[in-house]
């Protein structure tokens, strides 16, 4: 289940991609399939080991084209172990809401992104997320949980402040908002509640089968209750005079 829309966020074979806070690796896997040279980084060593296993399995199954590479590694988003201007593309999906120093993370992403490079940022959308917080403290008051709710204009302002130029936004995963509202209403750790179990089966069916009815419903509902807010931006090239001054 991808949150980044690659029709709006073009990826070329050979692009060097950083999936920052990759989690289970869903976006890293898609980039690998598209021929990129992928680095999947996360602070969770257990998840990184699983991502590495999947990369190996994909290579063995021939799922990635010739020239594509994939590396999974542990690392700190606030101290990325890469030189300046190392990547053509950076993806950070459903991560920034967990990190106290979100401006520091943005600064690190801008540092390792090449001029002209592209970045995709996804966070929980304000409205659906606010409902979750209202229904359940346990939803967010956990170690490593969500510490803030972004409004779209607030996130875009921080992106611009970091020196990036936003060029597009959209919402995603509308069908997942009611599931999390149910989870919060019946208990975030209570998977046995009948409404939660029934809705979960619907989501699994939707993800596996991708029926036209749910695809159309989600597209219609995304602007209203989409669970995620997605922003795309580029890192501008320095004006010549500024570049020459920096070099001097």
């Amino acid at each position: 289940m991808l949150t980044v829309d690659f029709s709006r966020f073009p990826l070329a074979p050979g692009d060097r991609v950083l999936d920052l806070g990759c989690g289970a690796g869903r976006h890293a896997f898609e980039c690998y399939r598209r021929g990129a040279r992928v680095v999947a980084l996360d602070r969770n060593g257990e998840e990184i080991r699983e991502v590495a296993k999947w990369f190996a399995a994909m290579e063995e199954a021939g799922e990635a084209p010739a020239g594509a590479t994939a590396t999974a590694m542990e690392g700190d988003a606030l101290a990325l172990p890469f030189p300046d201007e190392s990547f053509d593309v950076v993806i950070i999906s459903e991560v920034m809401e967990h990190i106290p120093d979100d401006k520091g993370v943005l600064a690190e992403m801008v540092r390792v992104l090449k001029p002209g490079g592209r970045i995709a940022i996804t966070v929980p959308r304000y409205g659906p997320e606010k409902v979750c917080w209202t229904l359940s403290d346990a939803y967010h008051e956990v170690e490593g949980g969500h510490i803030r709710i972004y409004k779209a204009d607030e996130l875009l302002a921080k992106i611009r402040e970091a020196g990036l130029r936003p060029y597009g936004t959209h919402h995603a995963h509308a069908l997942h908002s009611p599931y999390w509202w149910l989870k919060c209403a019946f208990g975030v750790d209570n998977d046995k509640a009948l409404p939660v179990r029934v809705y979960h089966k619907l989501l699994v069916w939707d993800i596996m089968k991708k029926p036209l009815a749910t695809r159309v419903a989600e597209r219609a509902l995304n602007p209203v209750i989409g669970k995620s807010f997605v922003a795309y931006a580029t890192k501008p090239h320095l004006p010549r005079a500024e570049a020459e001054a920096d070099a001097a």
Side-chain angles (χ1 to χ4, degrees), residues 20-233:
L20 180 56
C22 64
R26 58 201 172 106
H27 289 104
F29 299 149
E30 181 65 20
C31 293
Y32 189 32
R33 292 188 187 98
R34 290 171 177 261
R37 295 174 293 153
V38 183
V39 176
L41 183 144
D42 201 285
R43 66 183 299 178
N44 187 317
E46 184 177 341
E47 286 197 308
I48 283 297
R49 286 187 287 275
E50 281 299 309
V51 170
K53 290 178 184 177
W54 279 105
F55 279 150
M58 291 172 67
E59 181 181 13
E60 185 175 346
E63 289 191 37
T69 62
T71 302
M73 61 185 296
E74 289 185 59
D76 183 353
L78 289 165
L80 295 174
F82 310 112
D84 295 356
E85 301 178 5
S86 299
F87 294 93
D88 303 289
V89 172
V90 176
I91 296 171
I92 184 166
S93 183
E94 311 300 302
V95 173
M96 288 180 57
E97 67 275 9
H98 296 272
I99 301 176
D101 186 8
D102 58 346
K103 290 185 178 181
V105 173
L106 274 167
E108 272 293 89
M109 290 190 290
V110 171
R111 180 184 68 78
V112 302
L113 186 64
K114 295 177 182 178
R118 303 172 305 285
I119 189 165
I121 299 173
T122 91
V123 297
R125 185 184 186 178
Y126 182 85
E129 183 78 348
K130 189 70 173 178
V131 173
C132 289
W133 283 45
T134 300
L135 290 172
S136 171
D137 290 336
Y139 170 79
H140 64 98
E141 290 184 356
V142 295
E143 184 178 356
H146 299 183
I147 62 171
R148 69 174 66 82
I149 308 176
Y150 287 102
K151 292 184 177 178
D153 55 357
E154 174 195 359
L155 180 60
L156 291 171
K158 289 187 176 184
I159 290 171
R160 293 187 182 97
E161 185 181 343
L164 298 166
R165 291 179 181 168
Y167 69 84
T169 65
H170 65 90
H171 301 98
H173 309 318
L175 295 182
H176 288 251
S177 290
Y179 172 71
W180 283 103
W181 297 339
L182 288 170
K183 288 272 287 181
C184 290
F186 286 94
V188 290
D189 296 320
N190 180 12
D191 294 325
K192 295 182 179 180
L194 180 61
V196 174
R197 287 192 287 114
V198 170
Y199 202 94
H200 183 262
K201 287 182 179 180
L202 169 67
L203 291 181
V204 171
W205 173 70
D206 171 55
I207 292 169
M208 299 301 294
K209 301 296 184 181
K210 297 181 172 60
L212 178 61
T214 56
R215 296 300 88 208
V216 170
E218 184 153 83
R219 281 196 296 270
L221 290 171
N222 273 338
V224 183
I225 59 168
K227 182 75 170 65
S228 295
F229 174 71
V230 188
Y232 305 108

